[in-house]
Amino acid sequence: MKRAMTSTEKQMENGELCMNSAQCKSNCCQHSSALGLARCTSLASENTECSVKTLYGIYYKCPCERGLTCEGDKTIVGAITNTNFGICHDAGRSKQ
């Protein structure tokens, strides 16, 4: 049975094994394949691939850093099939 982390538990650093993004200081627990081990990873930076959201608590691509927007598939089907990837863009910049 899963349990929520308490405020006294230490969140994990990047590179440490994780089972859910809530365990990571970065808030991103990422794995490269369905059978691969997941590790805490930095959030996606500008112009890099990102995930819009996850239903499982583990990402194939991390969400964007604060202030950036992941422009990609935002459908529930995309979240279920892990095809909801996009690119991080600065939401404050005008598109040219």
Side-chain angles (χ1 to χ4, degrees), residues 11-28:
Q11 286 189 306
M12 294 183 233
E13 301 289 338
N14 287 348
E16 291 188 79
L17 294 174
C18 54
M19 292 176 25
N20 191 295
S21 291
Q23 295 176 311
C24 303
K25 282 186 177 181
S26 66
N27 286 319
C28 183

Side-chain angles (χ1 to χ4, degrees), residues 3 8-9 13 16 23 34 44 50-52 56 70 78 87-88 94:
R3 64 179 181 84
T8 57
E9 289 181 277
E13 301 289 338
E16 291 188 79
Q23 295 176 311
C50 54
S51 287
V52 177
Y56 312 110
C70 187
I87 301 292
C88 290
S94 61

